[in-house]
Amino acid sequence: MDSMTAWNWSFLLLRAATTIACVVAAVAVARHGRGRRGTGWGYRAGAILYLLLLAGLTMAEGYGQITTWAGLSTPLLGWFWLATDLVIPLAVLLLLRILRERNALAGQLAAAARHDPLTGLPNRAGFAEEVAQALARATRERVPVAAAMLDLDRFKRVNDGWGHAAGDAVLRGAADAMRQAMRPGDILGRMGGEEFALLLPGLDAQSALPVLERVRAAVEQAVPHPGGGEERVTLSAGVATLAAPRTEALEAALRAADGALYAAKAAGRNRALPAT
């Protein structure tokens, strides 16, 4: 193979690479937009058509060169346009990678905005979002729903006596213990400080008491107290039944559960009581 023929074949191979890169980029754009036919779909469709057109033109030009070349070398300008054509699909692929990374970061930021960074539990906003979905299911299934408020007993004494790092460890341990003890489908959220809320679909206040007792016992048994010895981490809880599986009924039930929580504190702590 002489040098001129080698150059021609190299040019054709790059033409083929450009065609393949255009098709791969078009497929990647289509996969990136799958299931999102809202904002931006027209731009993606345009990009797909452009890439497929570029692939067709590149392939056609390569075929034309195969059939018309008669030992002529590829002109320098042709190499320039070939490089330009190859850069376009590669730039599209790079842009798609950047968009995927941006979407992943946006998802992480959105999740962080709905979760408490210390315990990993839903915060108020995240709890409200998950509860709305659970209430919609309860409405369809026509089952009762109970809501509970839980509060770690004498938590201020932990922070004051052993420092906030010890308090944070207690909060993380309590959140983990409660997660392990509650039922699948229950929703636990941190409302702030040492206060938590628990939604129990399918139960009323009375039938929710055994679950709360299991949660209470798990915290007492599994969470070490920074003071050691006979000291124990305990919690008190109050629970109420929702009048209906709706958001406004949830707010009323949480207020009633909060009242039962204070009654549990007044009765000696480390217990769960139903709202009266």
Side-chain angles (χ1 to χ4, degrees):
M1 180 183 294
D2 58 34
S3 60
M4 187 175 297
T5 304
W7 275 103
N8 289 341
W9 277 108
S10 298
F11 188 82
L12 286 175
L13 288 174
L14 284 176
R15 275 277 174 224
T18 301
T19 302
I20 294 171
C22 287
V23 173
V24 170
V27 172
V29 171
R31 290 173 62 87
H32 181 74
R34 184 176 297 170
R36 288 183 284 181
R37 291 183 172 269
T39 304
W41 174 250
Y43 296 106
R44 287 191 290 272
I48 293 169
L49 291 175
Y50 175 77
L51 288 166
L52 292 177
L53 178 62
L54 181 59
L57 291 175
T58 302
M59 186 167 58
E61 185 177 356
Y63 177 77
Q65 288 167 340
I66 291 174
T67 57
T68 59
W69 274 352
L72 300 175
S73 63
T74 302
L76 182 61
L77 186 61
W79 285 98
F80 171 78
W81 286 115
L82 173 61
T84 302
D85 291 345
L86 184 58
V87 163
I88 291 173
L90 295 179
V92 170
L93 291 173
L94 177 61
L95 177 61
L96 286 175
R97 180 177 179 179
I98 293 172
L99 289 174
R100 281 194 296 269
E101 292 176 351
R102 186 203 65 178
N103 291 341
L105 179 60
Q108 293 171 3
L109 292 174
R114 297 191 300 270
H115 287 79
D116 169 48
L118 178 64
T119 62
L121 294 174
N123 56 18
R124 284 183 178 271
F127 181 76
E129 183 177 313
E130 293 188 23
V131 159
Q133 299 173 6
L135 293 180
R137 287 194 299 271
T139 298
R140 292 193 300 270
E141 297 169 4
R142 297 182 179 181
V143 297
V145 181
M149 294 296 297
L150 308 93
D151 189 90
L152 297 182
D153 296 325
R154 299 186 176 92
F155 182 73
K156 185 176 184 301
R157 193 161 67 88
V158 173
N159 275 337
D160 292 345
W162 291 274
H164 288 280
D168 288 348
V170 167
L171 285 170
R172 283 192 297 268
D176 290 341
M178 286 188 278
R179 264 190 295 245
Q180 294 295 322
M182 68 190 204
R183 306 170 308 154
D186 292 342
I187 300 171
L188 179 66
R190 184 184 179 195
M191 298 294 101
E194 68 273 25
E195 191 173 56
F196 301 84
L198 179 62
L199 191 80
L200 303 110
L203 302 177
D204 59 19
Q206 286 297 328
S207 57
L209 286 175
V211 178
L212 292 176
E213 174 59 25
R214 188 167 68 243
V215 169
R216 183 206 62 76
V219 170
E220 185 176 18
Q221 295 166 11
V223 184
H225 194 285
E230 297 299 320
E231 297 276 7
R232 292 288 182 271
V233 175
T234 63
L235 65 79
S236 299
V239 62
T241 305
L242 274 69
R246 293 193 298 269
T247 301
E248 57 272 20
L250 172 65
E251 295 172 355
L254 287 175
R255 287 194 297 270
D258 201 45
L261 166 63
Y262 280 101
K265 296 275 191 184
R269 299 182 175 85
N270 195 24
R271 65 195 65 207
L273 294 178
T276 56

